[in-house]
Amino acid sequence: MLLFRASLAFLLSAVLCAAPAFATPTHKKSSSSHARSAHHSGKSTKASAKSRHKKLHGQQAIDPARATEIQKALIREHYMTGEPTGQWDAATMAAMQKYQSDQGWQTKLMPDSRALKKLGLGPDYSDAINAPGASFNGPKPPTDIPAAQAAGFASASGVNR
């Protein structure tokens, strides 16, 4: 009985000591403008000058060849008229915006990936191994497998032949 009480006391103290280690810390955000202005007033002019010269990431412009492809597709779908120019101009943006709007999609990102796919300009998977007509060779017929290898497969799988 004494050993049981000692074990129980040890276990209880271990749980109480370990509980704070597994607790999730919470942080409160200050909603007062004084706290925010005091926090941000310490910024140096060097940091703000650095933020003005941030490196731009991602695609910044549409390649003329890609713009021509998109324009051809928009002309084919009767959202544009004339000949493709290769320039991502106001007329092209308006046509793409109208196309995306007619599909019920967002109109702020130009062009939307769904719109490009529906226009037939999505990724080309014709070289994929599971594409129709791909040059992927299927497995060999069982008659072409050497007898020793087939016996190894059978014994490993537990299937009697």
Side-chain angles (χ1 to χ4, degrees), residues 18-133:
F22 295 106
T24 312
T26 58
H27 300 285
K28 292 184 179 180
K29 289 187 176 183
S30 174
S31 61
S32 69
S33 61
H34 175 70
R36 269 186 260 129
S37 64
H39 175 70
H40 290 295
S41 64
K43 285 188 176 180
S44 68
T45 56
K46 185 177 182 181
S48 61
K50 194 175 192 179
S51 66
R52 282 182 272 167
H53 299 290
K54 285 184 178 179
K55 183 178 178 183
L56 298 174
H57 297 282
Q59 183 177 348
Q60 302 303 310
I62 295 180
D63 183 63
R66 186 64 167 165
T68 302
E69 290 176 348
I70 295 169
Q71 288 170 339
K72 286 179 182 178
L74 289 169
I75 292 168
R76 182 187 69 235
E77 297 296 321
H78 306 290
Y79 282 87
M80 283 185 74
T81 58
E83 294 294 319
T85 63
Q87 300 297 316
W88 191 255
D89 53 10
T92 308
M93 286 191 286
M96 183 57 99
Q97 193 171 25
K98 173 82 170 114
Y99 181 76
Q100 290 179 187
S101 175
D102 287 353
Q103 304 303 318
W105 299 327
Q106 61 80 27
T107 57
K108 294 183 181 181
L109 294 177
M110 303 295 260
D112 186 285
S113 62
R114 294 173 295 185
L116 292 176
K117 288 177 184 175
K118 188 154 185 178
L119 286 169
L121 302 173
D124 179 19
Y125 294 115
S126 60
D127 292 338
I129 63 170
N130 60 347

